[in-house]
Amino acid sequence: MKRLILSIAAVVAVAVTCLAAGRDTYTVIVSLDGFRWDYAEAFDTPLLDKMAQQGVKAVMTPSFPSKTFPNHYTLATGLVPDHHGIIANSFLDRKTGDIYSLSNMKTKNNPKYYGGDPVWLTAKRQGVTSATVYWVGSDVNLRGGGHADYWQDYNHKPRLKPYERVNEVIRLLSLSEDKRPHLIMAYFEEPDASGHSHGPASAQTRARFEDLDLMLATLWNRMQELPIADKINFIVTGDHGMTWLNPERTVPVKKYLKTEWIQTIENDVPAMLYVTEPRFADSIVSALKCVDHIRVWKKDEIPAYLNFGTNPNVGDVIVLPDVGWTFSDRKAGLMTGTHGFDHTCSDMWVGFRAIGPDFKRGYTRESTFRNVCIYPLLCYLLGITPSENDGDLNEVSDLIRTGN
Ligand code: AMP
Ligand code: ZN
Ligand code: ZN
């Protein structure tokens, strides 16, 4: 019996090793925060164009809400925000009364909020070395695995500048084979910051995006000089798009709602309202249901296509403004662009480019695909078994090259 158990253990070990060593390719995925799908069409982007010509070009839909934290963690886990727990950039923890927010270090760094199995941990468990450069969630000491083998702390200052992040990716790819990560996930704050300050089609956002394309070209050229150049799958994508805001397009909160109904309102696009008493959810919905330019639902009546509302921390009432509108009493005019809207609206869609040995050459996909499919795609590229997720490798299998 003991011998049988030992030999089963040996078979399992061999199977895992084969899986882990199943691919000798490397995957570098870059997220450009706020990479609206049509920036590369409208702006001068030789590197992204080259990736389209020699690799794959597609448009990806974000998950709802189309915000940074929910979507980066969806890219990493393949779960929609409602399922992984980072349901917004800020939300109320109903059990403790704490506010989770990306700027509140106590909550941001608490692993209990981060469900699912981010790909760097899936890889680590299966013996595949991975690295992150500031990806959302990667600087949190996650339950069930900690961090990637190599990682950077977003809260540690000074933060690496964009070109220093490029250097870090090249340094990691230049490590000796036994130390070299097979997965590198790198995050860049632009063009989101410019999109917010100046709007999506502004001269400033154009200039910043064209700078990013130059930076990506530097990364690409330096990867081409490495001995493993022809083994690198290189993906450039992002978390959501961006649309124009207009200070006149604001629906004021206090005009319609009584302060005693509300414990807190988190975010404005979409707004999550937490009530002081359950009956006030109905009061809010009645007060807002005939107001133009917003849609309002109680949490258990949110339309199914938004995939939102089962997570216990979702607000009692959700107010989703129409594209370009906000629901807020804040002084208008601070932002020119924003995101967070209905993820099926094309202004929220995201660019996707991929080039490398596992991607087709010169292939443009006509229909969009969901960002939950990135996780199973990365697992496929790494030759690892994905954990349970909301994506589907079949939805993106047309991007993959099989044979030569
Ligand atoms: P958003 O409000 O959705 O546009 O969020 C974008 C912000 O997320 C940027 O200003 C980044 O500085 C911030 N951010 C991105 N990654 C992290 C991180 N790991 N920790 C804290 N903040 C982050
Ligand atoms: Zn973002
Ligand atoms: Zn943003």
Side-chain angles (χ1 to χ4, degrees):
M1 184 63 182
K2 197 171 171 191
R3 191 179 296 163
L4 179 66
I5 292 171
L6 280 176
S7 53
I8 290 173
V11 169
V12 170
V14 168
V16 170
T17 318
C18 288
L19 199 60
R23 293 179 164 268
D24 66 347
T25 55
Y26 297 85
T27 299
V28 176
I29 177 166
V30 163
S31 170
L32 305 179
D33 197 317
F35 173 10
R36 182 171 141 150
W37 70 275
D38 55 355
Y39 283 171
E41 314 289 333
F43 305 151
D44 192 16
T45 55
L47 193 272
L48 291 174
D49 298 349
K50 181 196 182 115
M51 290 180 79
Q53 282 149 15
Q54 298 177 15
V56 165
K57 166 179 163 177
V59 177
M60 186 173 76
T61 55
S63 299
F64 183 79
S66 47
K67 288 284 190 193
T68 298
F69 263 55
N71 277 284
H72 274 99
Y73 203 58
T74 289
L75 293 167
T77 59
L79 295 173
V80 294
D82 199 43
H83 296 162
H84 64 53
I86 306 298
I87 50 168
N89 284 350
S90 83
F91 57 85
L92 175 70
D93 175 342
R94 289 180 190 268
K95 273 200 192 137
T96 62
D98 288 336
I99 300 288
Y100 170 95
S101 113
L102 52 87
S103 52
N104 172 349
M105 288 314 119
K106 183 176 153 237
T107 51
K108 193 206 105 170
N109 290 332
N110 190 332
K112 75 175 175 186
Y113 295 111
Y114 299 78
D117 188 30
V119 60
W120 56 85
L121 295 187
T122 314
K124 193 172 172 183
R125 263 202 323 279
Q126 295 180 41
V128 174
T129 309
S130 65
T132 52
V133 184
Y134 299 134
W135 203 277
V136 168
S138 68
D139 49 2
V140 180
N141 189 356
L142 294 172
R143 290 196 290 212
H147 303 271
D149 300 282
Y150 305 91
W151 62 283
Q152 300 286 334
D153 188 353
Y154 199 75
N155 304 318
H156 182 83
K157 304 279 180 55
R159 230 170 253 150
L160 295 179
K161 296 189 179 76
Y163 273 87
E164 292 171 336
R165 300 179 200 186
V166 168
N167 292 343
E168 174 64 1
V169 173
I170 297 298
R171 182 189 76 81
L172 290 161
L173 290 172
S174 309
L175 292 171
S176 60
E177 196 175 346
D178 56 326
K179 299 200 174 73
R180 190 185 303 146
H182 280 265
L183 171 68
I184 304 176
M185 305 178 73
Y187 168 78
F188 295 85
E189 289 86 351
E190 288 285 8
D192 182 73
S194 301
H196 282 300
S197 307
H198 307 287
S202 60
Q204 292 89 339
T205 302
R206 166 191 280 271
R208 195 46 62 91
F209 197 73
E210 292 178 355
D211 286 348
L212 282 169
D213 190 80
L214 279 175
M215 182 196 75
L216 293 173
T218 303
L219 173 58
W220 172 253
N221 292 336
R222 291 183 65 190
M223 288 196 297
Q224 293 318 290
E225 288 162 10
L226 298 171
I228 55 164
D230 58 355
K231 294 181 178 172
I232 301 173
N233 288 307
F234 180 44
I235 301 171
V236 179
T237 189
D239 51 351
H240 52 70
M242 183 67 66
T243 197
W244 291 97
L245 270 184
N246 176 334
E248 255 116 73
R249 294 183 178 169
T250 300
V251 177
V253 179
K254 285 198 190 114
K255 179 172 168 193
Y256 299 104
L257 304 183
K258 294 194 177 145
T259 42
E260 60 265 32
W261 294 346
I262 300 159
Q263 181 188 349
T264 178
I265 301 182
E266 292 304 316
N267 314 289
D268 43 17
V269 182
M272 294 212 285
L273 287 69
Y274 300 84
V275 293
T276 48
E277 286 181 39
R279 66 194 168 105
F280 293 143
D282 290 311
S283 315
I284 294 172
V285 171
S286 331
L288 295 177
K289 69 175 182 239
C290 294
V291 177
D292 285 341
H293 308 298
I294 54 171
R295 289 186 285 165
V296 56
W297 307 284
K298 288 203 287 183
K299 93 180 256 188
D300 51 6
E301 291 168 359
I302 298 171
Y305 81 94
L306 293 173
N307 278 310
F308 203 64
T310 66
N311 189 285
N313 290 333
V314 168
D316 301 294
V317 178
I318 300 298
V319 177
L320 179 57
D322 292 347
V323 173
W325 286 76
T326 44
F327 179 68
S328 170
D329 286 324
R330 269 188 296 161
K331 248 190 157 173
L334 290 175
M335 279 203 286
T336 311
T338 202
H339 52 91
F341 298 100
D342 189 328
H343 64 301
T344 63
C345 150
S346 62
D347 285 7
M348 297 298 105
W349 293 354
V350 185
F352 178 92
R353 299 285 183 279
I355 187 169
D358 288 312
F359 288 102
K360 281 189 183 156
R361 296 187 190 126
Y363 176 66
T364 297
R365 176 175 163 130
E366 297 305 332
S367 58
T368 59
F369 69 86
R370 297 170 301 151
N371 70 349
V372 286
C373 299
I374 292 291
Y375 172 80
L377 176 64
L378 292 175
C379 289
Y380 167 81
L381 295 172
L382 296 168
I384 57 176
T385 307
S387 294
E388 210 178 306
N389 65 84
D390 296 320
D392 182 359
L393 184 60
N394 291 322
E395 193 172 318
V396 286
S397 58
D398 61 317
L399 311 182
I400 295 168
R401 185 181 348 160
T402 45
N404 278 316

